[in-house]
Amino acid sequence: QKAIEDLFYEKAGSFQTPSKEEVRIAMGYEECKESMSTFEEVFNIFLTKEKEIQQWSQNTWKNLRTVLTDFSEFRKDVPIESIDKDTIMSFVVYLHGKGMTNYSIDSLLRKFRRFMKWAYDNGFTKNDTGFTFKPKLHYAFDEPLYLRPDELSRLESCYLPKHLVATRDVFIFCCFSGLRYSDV
């Protein structure tokens, strides 16, 4: 952060705005590109740099780290440049073998694509397959859940703190109208 402040202070004297490339160099991205080439190494840079920039919470950081953990279990020391459709499909098959559902795999792949887009944008890879390829996952829809009349009446009459009363009322409205909570 100090390097960025110094860069902007230096440029302010001449009434200039630093270029995108100058900011990247000040943040240390350029110096890492030569020596870092595996998925794990670049992902660790992503976690470190973006946590500072985006001000991620600890939970967000842990959530994104699951991609690194699962991919490292799948294959160690994979050059980031070599990740292609076959690698991604093999990763999906591996995740299925671990017992993951398509919903969980889709969530993990969204985080994976987020990272690969970042790696592409920051020059760690010239391969855009990692964020443009989206394997087709099929979802099995379970039978809808609903509340029985006695459960609904218990929910209507239960005591809740003031800040949850409106939420309960909206939920009950959804039960009677058939609307999804997110739609209301």
Side-chain angles (χ1 to χ4, degrees):
Q1 222 175 15
K2 176 88 171 99
I4 293 173
E5 288 174 8
D6 291 344
L7 174 66
F8 274 87
Y9 182 75
E10 177 186 312
K11 291 291 184 171
S14 59
F15 299 102
Q16 294 178 335
T17 304
S19 69
K20 188 175 181 181
E21 200 58 37
E22 290 172 320
V23 172
R24 280 189 185 158
I25 291 169
M27 292 174 61
Y29 284 122
E30 295 302 317
E31 65 197 34
C32 299
K33 289 182 187 175
E34 283 12 275
S35 62
M36 301 298 170
S37 61
T38 68
F39 180 87
E40 291 89 355
E41 291 167 333
V42 177
F43 203 95
N44 281 321
I45 293 170
F46 166 70
L47 289 174
T48 304
K49 301 276 185 184
E50 289 298 299
K51 183 176 184 182
E52 287 177 22
I53 295 168
Q54 303 294 332
Q55 297 296 305
W56 288 337
S57 68
Q58 191 65 24
N59 285 340
T60 301
W61 185 83
K62 283 181 185 176
N63 201 338
L64 285 166
R65 189 157 170 74
T66 60
V67 175
L68 178 60
T69 305
D70 286 332
F71 197 85
S72 295
E73 288 173 3
F74 164 63
R75 269 195 206 142
K76 273 280 203 206
D77 300 325
V78 174
I80 194 164
E81 200 63 43
S82 72
I83 295 175
D84 58 3
K85 290 179 182 181
D86 292 335
T87 306
I88 296 170
M89 287 308 299
S90 298
F91 185 44
V92 169
V93 170
Y94 167 77
L95 295 173
H96 274 290
K98 280 181 61 174
M100 282 183 131
T101 65
N102 282 346
Y103 293 107
S104 299
I105 293 171
D106 187 46
S107 174
L108 191 79
L109 287 178
R110 273 186 267 123
K111 295 171 206 160
F112 176 83
R113 284 192 297 272
R114 176 182 179 177
F115 159 70
M116 290 302 290
K117 174 81 168 109
W118 176 90
Y120 180 82
D121 289 345
N122 288 283
F124 288 100
T125 181
K126 291 177 177 59
N127 180 358
D128 69 349
T129 305
F131 65 90
T132 57
F133 177 62
K134 296 178 182 173
K136 183 78 173 160
L137 299 173
H138 299 283
Y139 300 99
F141 295 104
D142 297 331
E143 189 162 328
L145 297 175
Y146 58 90
L147 294 175
R148 293 187 312 267
D150 63 313
E151 293 171 327
L152 197 53
S153 66
R154 275 192 286 154
L155 183 61
E156 287 174 328
S157 62
C158 75
Y159 169 77
L160 290 175
K162 285 183 183 179
H163 68 282
L164 293 177
V165 171
T167 304
R168 176 195 57 197
D169 292 344
V170 170
F171 179 76
I172 291 171
F173 173 76
C174 291
C175 291
F176 283 114
S177 65
L179 291 171
R180 291 187 301 196
Y181 189 85
S182 62
D183 289 343
V184 173

